[in-house]
Amino acid sequence: MCLTETYSSVWVGKNVSDRFPIRNGLKQGEALSPLLFNFALEYAIRRVQINQDGLKVNGTHQLLAYADDVNILGGSEHTVKKNAEALVAATKEIGLGINVHKTKYMIVLRDQNAGRIHSMKMDNCPIERVEEFKYLGTTLIYQNSIQEGIKSRLKLGNACYYSVQNLLSSSFLFKTLKIKIYRTIILPVVLYGCET
């Protein structure tokens, strides 16, 4: 529900502030909020994909987005910078901003050209270079290796198993129920993100 003629106040401890007007936006927790955000981000991303060259796989530019997490892939550092700048411009046009302090970049090279210094900036602020990051539960590393991701998933599955071990070793539960517990609780944790 969009806000019109809405006032708010802030409660801190036992004190309540004076009322102040809310001129735009949605109420916090409003069900429509994520939908409108997704529409706006989708519009900005489509503009970037139409206007920019970049790494194409199956005929589409590689801009991966889920909720407010966006990853820009490119065949070169120049392409990534160009697409990032275009995304920043497109989001600013519609009133969205990018948090530079949460923005990070990673370079994956076939020859592991570690001697070359790479640096990126956004709005004249340096962006942190990382050697690994987590995206949708999957750890991506600059060496383009999946071993660490597999180890992480197995550790999480192991922890999940130990959390329900009493149920699985109980003599009061039938084998079919134990299999259902395994399939619904443990297996999804291990297999989460295995397609990425």
Side-chain angles (χ1 to χ4, degrees), residues 9 20 27 33 65-66 68 70 76 102 113 117 143 158 177 180 190:
S9 57
F20 54 90
K27 291 180 183 177
S33 182
Y66 182 81
D68 64 347
V70 178
S76 69
K102 289 184 176 181
N113 189 359
I117 298 172
Q143 297 164 329
N158 202 20
L177 184 56
K180 282 185 181 181
V190 174

Side-chain angles (χ1 to χ4, degrees), residues 14-166:
K14 295 181 181 179
N15 301 324
V16 178
S17 72
D18 294 334
R19 289 174 22 136
F20 54 90
I22 306 241
R23 293 188 177 89
N24 59 17
L26 298 169
K27 291 180 183 177
Q28 186 170 354
E30 177 66 45
L32 192 56
S33 182
L35 184 63
L36 292 176
F37 174 80
N38 284 340
F39 283 148
L41 186 60
E42 177 76 16
Y43 174 78
I45 288 172
R46 284 181 187 267
R47 291 198 49 172
V48 170
Q49 288 184 342
I50 289 169
N51 296 330
Q52 297 297 317
D53 294 325
L55 180 67
K56 287 187 177 184
V57 177
N58 295 330
T60 61
H61 296 281
Q62 293 305 292
L63 237 150
L64 309 175
Y66 182 81
D68 64 347
D69 290 331
V70 178
N71 287 302
I72 302 170
L73 308 176
S76 69
E77 183 181 352
H78 172 73
T79 301
V80 172
K81 281 184 182 181
K82 189 175 166 186
N83 284 340
E85 290 167 0
L87 183 61
V88 168
T91 55
K92 279 185 181 177
E93 283 179 18
I94 57 173
L96 296 178
I98 294 175
N99 187 337
V100 179
H101 303 292
K102 289 184 176 181
T103 304
K104 304 189 181 340
Y105 77 99
M106 181 175 73
I107 296 176
V108 179
L109 298 171
R110 286 190 186 111
D111 61 359
Q112 298 305 314
N113 189 359
R116 192 166 160 205
I117 298 172
H118 298 274
S119 64
M120 290 185 84
K121 289 185 177 186
M122 186 180 296
D123 291 336
N124 290 326
C125 293
I127 299 175
E128 179 187 355
R129 180 179 175 178
V130 295
E131 294 189 357
E132 68 176 47
F133 71 95
K134 210 166 214 171
Y135 182 69
L136 301 181
T138 301
T139 303
L140 305 170
I141 59 174
Y142 79 99
Q143 297 164 329
N144 204 17
S145 172
I146 61 169
Q147 279 89 6
E148 291 303 315
I150 292 171
K151 286 179 188 176
S152 172
R153 287 278 124 215
L154 290 175
K155 276 185 185 178
L156 290 170
N158 202 20
C160 191
Y161 167 78
Y162 283 110
S163 72
V164 294
Q165 184 179 16
N166 291 340

